Amino acid sequence: MTASVRLMNLEAEDIQQSRMELAAACRIAAALGMHEGIANHFSLAVGDDGARFLINPDRVHFLNVRASNLLLLDANDPDTMSQPNAPDPTAWGLHGPIHRHCPHARCVMHLHPVYGTVLASLADSTLQPIDLNTAMFFRRHTTDEGIGGLAFEDEGERCAKLLADRQVKVLVMCNHGVLVLGESVADAFHRMYYFERACETYIKALQTGRPLRVMPDGLANRIARELEDYPDQAEQHFAQLTSLHA
C-alpha cells in the first residue's frame, strides 16, 4: 500500500477532534504572543505507530490555522517534499525524524519564545530549580548544543536521538529555541506554557545579579513528580485557554 493511500485511509477515520485541538493550540500560542511570524510548528501523531502526524501548513500564520488546513503526513514517506502541498522544509526536517524515531512523542511543539530563547542563548542553558515552575522541569529537560544551521533533516535526526529518553520532555535547542513533547495537545501545551513562564522567572532572577536560592535535588525532583501527578491539570488548563482564545 502506498503512503498516499495509507494517508487517505487514515483521513477517513475520525481524527477531527485531533485536528481541532492542534489548530486551537496554534491560535492560542499566537494569542499569547508565543509564536514568531510564520516560523514555528506544532505536530500531533494520529496513528498508533506515531509516524503519521498532523502539522500546520507551510507559511501560514498561527492565527490562520484551522482544523481543515492542517497537513496529514507520513514520516516514512520519502516523497513528502515533492508533493504539491508540501510542508515547510524545516517543519519536515525537525518533526519528521522525531515522529519517525520517537513514537512516545505524540505531540511536538517547536517555538522561539522570548525567555526560552534567551535561555537557549546562554553558555549554560540549564534551567535551575528556583521556584515551583522551574522545578517542574528538573531532570526533565536537556540541551542540544550541536546546532549546524536551520532545522533540516540532519538537525532533526540529532534531536530525535536526544529525545529517546522518555523522561526528557523539553529540548532546549541552543542558539535556536525550544521543543516540547507531550502525550496529547493539552499535555504539550501546558508544558510549553509553563516552561516559558519558568524561563521568564529564571532569566529575571539572573538579571538581579544576586545569588540564586537553588532547591536541593531531592526537593526539586519531588516537586516535579508531584506536578506530573497533579490530576487533570493540563486538560483543564487547555480547556480554559480554548474557551478564552480559540
Coordinates of all heavy atoms in Angstrom, one line a residue, residues 97-169:
P97 N 11.7 13.4 11.5 CA 12.6 12.4 12.2 C 12.1 12.1 13.7 O 12.2 11.0 14.1 CB 14.0 13.1 12.3 CG 14.0 14.0 11.1 CD 12.5 14.5 11.0
I98 N 11.5 13.1 14.3 CA 11.1 12.9 15.7 C 9.9 11.9 15.7 O 9.9 10.9 16.5 CB 10.7 14.2 16.4 CG1 12.0 15.0 16.6 CG2 10.0 13.9 17.8 CD1 11.7 16.4 17.2
H99 N 8.9 12.1 14.8 CA 7.8 11.2 14.7 C 8.2 9.9 14.2 O 7.6 8.8 14.5 CB 6.7 11.8 13.9 CG 5.9 12.9 14.6 ND1 5.1 12.6 15.7 CD2 5.9 14.2 14.4 CE1 4.6 13.8 16.1 NE2 5.0 14.7 15.4
R100 N 9.3 9.8 13.4 CA 9.8 8.6 12.8 C 10.4 7.7 13.9 O 10.3 6.5 13.9 CB 10.7 8.9 11.7 CG 11.2 7.7 10.8 CD 12.1 8.2 9.7 NE 11.5 9.3 9.0 CZ 12.2 10.4 8.7 NH1 13.4 10.7 9.1 NH2 11.5 11.4 8.0
H101 N 11.2 8.4 14.8 CA 12.1 7.6 15.7 C 11.5 7.6 17.1 O 12.0 6.8 17.9 CB 13.5 8.2 15.7 CG 14.2 8.1 14.4 ND1 14.4 6.9 13.7 CD2 14.7 9.1 13.6 CE1 15.0 7.2 12.5 NE2 15.2 8.5 12.4
C102 N 10.6 8.5 17.5 CA 10.2 8.6 18.9 C 8.7 8.4 18.9 O 7.9 9.4 19.0 CB 10.6 10.0 19.4 SG 12.4 10.3 19.4
P103 N 8.2 7.2 18.9 CA 6.7 7.0 18.9 C 6.0 7.6 20.2 O 4.8 7.8 20.2 CB 6.6 5.5 18.8 CG 7.9 4.9 19.2 CD 8.9 5.9 18.8
H104 N 6.8 7.7 21.3 CA 6.2 8.3 22.5 C 6.0 9.8 22.4 O 5.3 10.4 23.2 CB 7.2 8.0 23.7 CG 8.5 8.7 23.6 ND1 9.5 8.1 22.7 CD2 9.1 9.8 24.1 CE1 10.6 8.9 22.8 NE2 10.4 9.9 23.6
A105 N 6.6 10.4 21.4 CA 6.4 11.9 21.2 C 5.1 12.1 20.4 O 5.2 12.4 19.2 CB 7.6 12.5 20.4
R106 N 4.0 12.0 21.1 CA 2.7 12.1 20.4 C 2.5 13.6 19.8 O 2.1 13.8 18.7 CB 1.6 11.7 21.3 CG 1.7 10.3 21.8 CD 1.7 9.3 20.7 NE 0.4 9.3 20.0 CZ 0.2 8.5 18.9 NH1 1.1 7.7 18.5 NH2 -1.0 8.5 18.3
C107 N 2.8 14.6 20.7 CA 2.6 15.9 20.3 C 4.0 16.6 20.4 O 4.6 16.5 21.4 CB 1.6 16.7 21.1 SG 1.1 18.3 20.5
V108 N 4.4 17.4 19.4 CA 5.7 18.0 19.3 C 5.4 19.5 19.0 O 4.9 19.8 18.0 CB 6.6 17.4 18.3 CG1 8.0 18.1 18.3 CG2 6.7 15.9 18.5
M109 N 5.9 20.4 19.9 CA 5.7 21.8 19.7 C 7.0 22.5 19.7 O 7.8 22.4 20.7 CB 4.8 22.4 20.8 CG 3.4 21.9 20.8 SD 2.3 22.7 22.0 CE 0.7 22.0 21.6
H110 N 7.3 23.2 18.6 CA 8.6 23.9 18.5 C 8.3 25.4 18.3 O 7.5 25.8 17.4 CB 9.3 23.4 17.2 CG 10.5 24.3 16.9 ND1 11.5 24.5 17.9 CD2 10.9 24.9 15.8 CE1 12.5 25.3 17.3 NE2 12.1 25.6 16.1
L111 N 8.9 26.2 19.2 CA 8.7 27.6 19.3 C 10.0 28.4 19.5 O 11.0 27.7 19.9 CB 7.8 28.0 20.4 CG 6.3 27.7 20.2 CD1 5.5 28.0 21.5 CD2 5.7 28.5 19.1
H112 N 10.0 29.7 19.3 CA 11.1 30.6 19.6 C 10.6 31.6 20.6 O 10.7 32.8 20.4 CB 11.7 31.3 18.4 CG 12.0 30.4 17.3 ND1 11.9 30.7 16.0 CD2 12.5 29.1 17.2 CE1 12.3 29.8 15.2 NE2 12.6 28.7 15.9
P113 N 10.0 31.2 21.7 CA 9.5 32.2 22.7 C 10.6 33.0 23.3 O 11.8 32.5 23.4 CB 8.8 31.4 23.7 CG 9.5 30.1 23.7 CD 9.9 29.9 22.3
V114 N 10.3 34.2 23.8 CA 11.4 35.1 24.2 C 12.3 34.6 25.3 O 13.5 34.5 25.1 CB 10.8 36.5 24.7 CG1 11.9 37.4 25.2 CG2 10.1 37.2 23.5
Y115 N 11.7 34.2 26.4 CA 12.6 33.8 27.5 C 13.2 32.4 27.3 O 14.3 32.1 27.7 CB 11.7 33.8 28.8 CG 11.4 35.2 29.2 CD1 10.2 35.8 28.9 CD2 12.4 36.1 29.8 CE1 9.9 37.1 29.3 CE2 12.1 37.4 30.1 CZ 10.8 37.9 29.9 OH 10.5 39.2 30.2
G116 N 12.5 31.5 26.7 CA 13.1 30.2 26.4 C 14.2 30.3 25.4 O 15.2 29.6 25.5
T117 N 14.1 31.3 24.5 CA 15.2 31.5 23.5 C 16.4 32.2 24.2 O 17.5 31.9 23.8 CB 14.7 32.3 22.3 OG1 13.6 31.6 21.7 CG2 15.8 32.4 21.3
V118 N 16.1 33.1 25.2 CA 17.2 33.7 25.9 C 18.0 32.6 26.7 O 19.2 32.5 26.7 CB 16.7 34.7 26.9 CG1 17.8 35.1 27.9 CG2 16.1 35.9 26.2
L119 N 17.2 31.6 27.3 CA 17.9 30.5 28.0 C 18.7 29.7 27.0 O 19.9 29.3 27.3 CB 16.9 29.6 28.6 CG 17.4 28.4 29.4 CD1 18.1 28.8 30.6 CD2 16.3 27.4 29.7
A120 N 18.2 29.5 25.8 CA 19.0 28.8 24.7 C 20.2 29.5 24.3 O 21.1 28.9 23.6 CB 18.0 28.5 23.6
S121 N 20.3 30.8 24.6 CA 21.4 31.6 24.1 C 22.5 31.8 25.2 O 23.6 32.3 24.9 CB 20.9 33.1 23.8 OG 19.9 33.0 22.8
L122 N 22.3 31.2 26.4 CA 23.3 31.3 27.5 C 24.3 30.2 27.3 O 24.0 29.1 26.8 CB 22.6 31.2 28.8 CG 21.5 32.2 29.2 CD1 21.0 31.9 30.6 CD2 22.1 33.6 29.1
A123 N 25.5 30.4 27.8 CA 26.6 29.4 27.7 C 26.2 28.2 28.5 O 26.5 27.0 28.1 CB 27.9 30.0 28.2
D124 N 25.4 28.3 29.6 CA 24.9 27.2 30.3 C 23.4 27.3 30.2 O 22.8 28.2 30.9 CB 25.3 27.2 31.8 CG 24.8 26.1 32.6 OD1 24.0 25.3 32.0 OD2 25.1 26.0 33.8
S125 N 22.7 26.5 29.4 CA 21.3 26.6 29.2 C 20.5 25.7 30.1 O 19.3 25.4 29.9 CB 21.0 26.2 27.7 OG 21.5 27.2 26.9
T126 N 21.1 25.3 31.2 CA 20.4 24.5 32.2 C 19.4 25.4 33.0 O 19.8 26.5 33.5 CB 21.3 23.8 33.2 OG1 22.3 23.0 32.5 CG2 20.6 23.0 34.2
L127 N 18.2 25.0 33.2 CA 17.2 25.7 34.0 C 17.3 25.2 35.4 O 16.9 24.1 35.7 CB 15.8 25.5 33.4 CG 14.6 26.2 34.1 CD1 14.8 27.7 33.9 CD2 13.3 25.7 33.5
Q128 N 17.8 26.0 36.3 CA 17.9 25.6 37.7 C 16.6 25.8 38.5 O 15.8 26.7 38.2 CB 19.0 26.5 38.4 CG 20.4 26.3 37.8 CD 21.5 26.9 38.6 OE1 21.8 26.4 39.7 NE2 22.0 28.0 38.2
P129 N 16.3 24.9 39.4 CA 15.1 24.9 40.1 C 15.1 25.9 41.3 O 15.7 25.7 42.3 CB 15.0 23.5 40.7 CG 16.4 23.0 40.9 CD 17.2 23.7 39.8
I130 N 14.5 27.1 41.0 CA 14.5 28.1 42.0 C 13.0 28.5 42.5 O 12.9 29.3 43.4 CB 15.1 29.4 41.4 CG1 14.4 29.9 40.2 CG2 16.6 29.2 41.2 CD1 14.9 31.3 39.7
D131 N 12.0 27.9 41.8 CA 10.6 28.0 42.2 C 9.9 26.8 41.7 O 10.4 25.9 41.2 CB 10.0 29.3 41.7 CG 9.7 29.3 40.3 OD1 10.4 28.6 39.5 OD2 8.8 30.0 39.8
L132 N 8.5 26.8 41.9 CA 7.8 25.6 41.5 C 7.8 25.4 40.0 O 7.9 24.3 39.6 CB 6.3 25.8 42.0 CG 6.1 25.9 43.5 CD1 4.6 26.0 43.8 CD2 6.6 24.6 44.2
N133 N 7.7 26.5 39.3 CA 7.7 26.3 37.8 C 9.0 25.8 37.3 O 9.0 24.9 36.4 CB 7.3 27.6 37.1 CG 5.9 28.0 37.3 OD1 5.0 27.2 37.7 ND2 5.5 29.3 37.0
T134 N 10.1 26.3 37.8 CA 11.4 25.8 37.3 C 11.6 24.4 37.8 O 12.2 23.6 37.0 CB 12.5 26.7 37.7 OG1 12.4 26.9 39.1 CG2 12.5 28.1 37.0
A135 N 11.2 24.1 39.0 CA 11.3 22.7 39.5 C 10.5 21.7 38.7 O 10.9 20.5 38.6 CB 10.9 22.7 41.0
M136 N 9.5 22.1 38.0 CA 8.7 21.2 37.2 C 9.5 20.5 36.2 O 9.2 19.4 35.7 CB 7.6 22.1 36.6 CG 6.6 21.4 35.6 SD 5.4 22.5 35.0 CE 4.5 21.4 33.8
F137 N 10.6 21.2 35.8 CA 11.4 20.6 34.7 C 12.7 20.1 35.1 O 13.6 19.8 34.3 CB 11.7 21.7 33.6 CG 10.4 22.3 33.1 CD1 9.8 23.4 33.6 CD2 9.7 21.6 32.1 CE1 8.6 23.9 33.1 CE2 8.5 22.0 31.6 CZ 7.9 23.2 32.1
F138 N 12.9 19.8 36.4 CA 14.1 19.3 37.0 C 14.3 17.9 36.4 O 13.5 17.0 36.5 CB 14.0 19.3 38.5 CG 15.3 18.7 39.2 CD1 16.4 19.5 39.1 CD2 15.3 17.5 39.8 CE1 17.6 19.0 39.7 CE2 16.5 17.0 40.3 CZ 17.6 17.8 40.3
R139 N 15.5 17.7 35.8 CA 15.9 16.4 35.2 C 14.9 16.0 34.1 O 14.8 14.8 33.7 CB 16.0 15.3 36.2 CG 17.2 15.5 37.2 CD 17.3 14.5 38.2 NE 18.5 14.7 39.1 CZ 18.7 14.1 40.2 NH1 17.8 13.2 40.7 NH2 19.8 14.3 40.9
R140 N 14.1 16.9 33.6 CA 13.2 16.6 32.5 C 13.4 17.5 31.3 O 12.5 17.5 30.4 CB 11.7 16.8 33.1 CG 11.4 15.6 34.0 CD 10.3 16.1 35.0 NE 9.9 14.9 35.9 CZ 10.6 14.5 37.0 NH1 11.7 15.1 37.3 NH2 10.2 13.5 37.7
H141 N 14.5 18.2 31.2 CA 14.9 18.9 30.0 C 16.3 18.6 29.8 O 17.1 18.3 30.6 CB 14.6 20.4 30.2 CG 15.6 21.1 31.1 ND1 15.6 21.0 32.5 CD2 16.6 22.0 30.8 CE1 16.5 21.7 33.0 NE2 17.1 22.3 32.0
T142 N 16.7 18.8 28.5 CA 18.1 18.6 28.1 C 18.4 19.7 27.0 O 17.5 20.4 26.6 CB 18.4 17.2 27.6 OG1 19.8 17.0 27.5 CG2 17.7 16.9 26.2
T143 N 19.7 19.7 26.7 CA 20.1 20.7 25.7 C 20.7 20.1 24.4 O 21.3 19.0 24.5 CB 21.1 21.7 26.3 OG1 22.3 20.9 26.7 CG2 20.6 22.5 27.5
D144 N 20.4 20.7 23.3 CA 21.1 20.3 22.1 C 22.1 21.4 21.7 O 21.7 22.5 21.4 CB 20.0 20.2 21.0 CG 20.7 20.1 19.6 OD1 21.8 19.5 19.5 OD2 20.1 20.5 18.6
E145 N 23.4 21.1 21.9 CA 24.4 22.0 21.6 C 25.1 21.9 20.3 O 26.1 22.5 20.0 CB 25.5 21.9 22.7 CG 24.9 22.1 24.1 CD 26.0 22.0 25.2 OE1 27.1 21.6 24.9 OE2 25.6 22.2 26.4
G146 N 24.4 21.1 19.4 CA 25.1 20.8 18.1 C 24.5 21.5 16.9 O 24.6 21.0 15.8
I147 N 23.9 22.7 17.1 CA 23.3 23.4 16.0 C 24.3 23.5 14.8 O 25.4 23.9 15.0 CB 22.8 24.8 16.4 CG1 22.1 25.5 15.3 CG2 23.9 25.6 17.0 CD1 21.3 26.7 15.7
G148 N 23.8 23.2 13.6 CA 24.6 23.3 12.4 C 24.0 24.2 11.4 O 24.5 24.2 10.2
G149 N 22.9 24.8 11.7 CA 22.2 25.6 10.7 C 20.7 25.5 11.0 O 20.2 25.3 12.1
L150 N 19.9 25.8 9.9 CA 18.4 25.6 10.1 C 18.0 24.2 10.3 O 18.8 23.2 10.1 CB 17.7 26.1 8.8 CG 17.9 27.6 8.5 CD1 17.1 28.0 7.3 CD2 17.5 28.5 9.7
A151 N 16.8 24.0 10.8 CA 16.4 22.6 11.2 C 16.0 21.8 10.0 O 14.8 21.4 9.9 CB 15.3 22.8 12.2
F152 N 16.9 21.4 9.2 CA 16.7 20.4 8.1 C 16.9 19.0 8.7 O 17.1 18.9 9.9 CB 17.6 20.7 6.9 CG 17.3 22.1 6.3 CD1 18.3 23.0 6.2 CD2 16.0 22.4 5.9 CE1 18.1 24.2 5.6 CE2 15.8 23.6 5.3 CZ 16.8 24.6 5.2
E153 N 16.8 18.0 7.9 CA 16.7 16.6 8.5 C 17.9 16.2 9.3 O 17.7 15.4 10.2 CB 16.4 15.6 7.3 CG 15.0 15.7 6.8 CD 14.5 14.5 6.2 OE1 14.6 13.4 6.8 OE2 14.1 14.5 5.0
D154 N 19.1 16.7 9.0 CA 20.2 16.2 9.8 C 20.1 16.8 11.3 O 20.4 16.1 12.2 CB 21.6 16.7 9.2 CG 21.6 18.2 8.9 OD1 20.6 18.8 8.9 OD2 22.8 18.7 8.7
E155 N 19.5 18.0 11.4 CA 19.2 18.6 12.7 C 18.2 17.8 13.4 O 18.2 17.5 14.6 CB 18.8 20.0 12.6 CG 19.8 21.0 12.0 CD 20.9 21.3 13.0 OE1 20.6 21.9 14.0 OE2 22.1 21.0 12.7
G156 N 17.1 17.4 12.7 CA 16.0 16.6 13.2 C 16.4 15.3 13.7 O 16.0 14.8 14.8
E157 N 17.3 14.6 12.9 CA 17.8 13.3 13.3 C 18.6 13.4 14.6 O 18.4 12.5 15.5 CB 18.7 12.7 12.2 CG 18.0 12.3 10.9 CD 17.1 11.1 11.1 OE1 17.4 10.3 12.1 OE2 16.3 10.8 10.2
R158 N 19.4 14.4 14.8 CA 20.2 14.6 16.0 C 19.2 14.8 17.2 O 19.4 14.3 18.3 CB 21.2 15.7 15.9 CG 22.1 15.8 17.1 CD 23.0 17.0 17.0 NE 22.3 18.3 17.0 CZ 22.1 19.1 16.0 NH1 22.6 18.8 14.8 NH2 21.4 20.2 16.1
C159 N 18.2 15.7 17.0 CA 17.3 16.0 18.1 C 16.5 14.7 18.5 O 16.3 14.5 19.7 CB 16.3 17.1 17.6 SG 17.1 18.7 17.5
A160 N 16.1 13.9 17.5 CA 15.4 12.7 17.8 C 16.2 11.8 18.7 O 15.6 11.2 19.6 CB 15.0 12.0 16.5
K161 N 17.5 11.7 18.5 CA 18.3 10.9 19.4 C 18.4 11.4 20.8 O 18.3 10.6 21.8 CB 19.8 10.8 18.8 CG 19.9 10.1 17.5 CD 21.3 10.1 17.0 CE 21.4 9.4 15.7 NZ 22.8 9.4 15.1
L162 N 18.4 12.7 21.0 CA 18.4 13.3 22.3 C 17.0 13.1 23.0 O 17.0 13.2 24.3 CB 18.7 14.8 22.2 CG 20.1 15.2 21.7 CD1 20.2 16.7 21.4 CD2 21.1 14.8 22.8
L163 N 16.0 12.9 22.3 CA 14.6 12.7 22.8 C 14.3 11.2 23.1 O 13.1 10.9 23.4 CB 13.6 13.4 21.9 CG 13.8 14.9 21.8 CD1 12.9 15.4 20.7 CD2 13.4 15.6 23.2
A164 N 15.2 10.3 22.8 CA 14.9 8.9 23.0 C 14.6 8.6 24.5 O 13.8 7.6 24.8 CB 16.1 8.1 22.5
D165 N 15.2 9.3 25.4 CA 14.9 9.2 26.8 C 13.5 9.7 27.1 O 13.3 10.9 27.0 CB 16.0 9.9 27.6 CG 15.8 9.8 29.1 OD1 14.7 9.2 29.6 OD2 16.6 10.2 29.9
R166 N 12.6 8.8 27.5 CA 11.2 9.2 27.7 C 11.0 10.2 28.9 O 10.0 10.8 28.9 CB 10.4 8.0 28.0 CG 10.2 7.1 26.7 CD 9.5 5.8 27.0 NE 9.3 5.0 25.8 CZ 8.2 5.0 25.1 NH1 7.2 5.7 25.5 NH2 8.1 4.2 24.0
Q167 N 12.0 10.3 29.7 CA 11.9 11.3 30.8 C 12.1 12.7 30.3 O 11.7 13.7 30.9 CB 12.9 11.0 32.0 CG 12.7 12.0 33.2 CD 13.4 11.5 34.4 OE1 12.9 10.5 35.0 NE2 14.5 12.1 34.8
V168 N 12.8 12.9 29.2 CA 13.1 14.2 28.6 C 11.8 14.7 28.0 O 11.3 14.1 27.0 CB 14.2 14.2 27.6 CG1 14.4 15.5 27.0 CG2 15.5 13.8 28.3
K169 N 11.3 15.8 28.5 CA 10.1 16.4 27.9 C 10.3 17.7 27.2 O 9.5 18.2 26.4 CB 9.1 16.7 29.1 CG 8.7 15.4 29.9 CD 8.0 14.4 29.1 CE 7.6 13.2 30.0 NZ 6.9 12.2 29.2

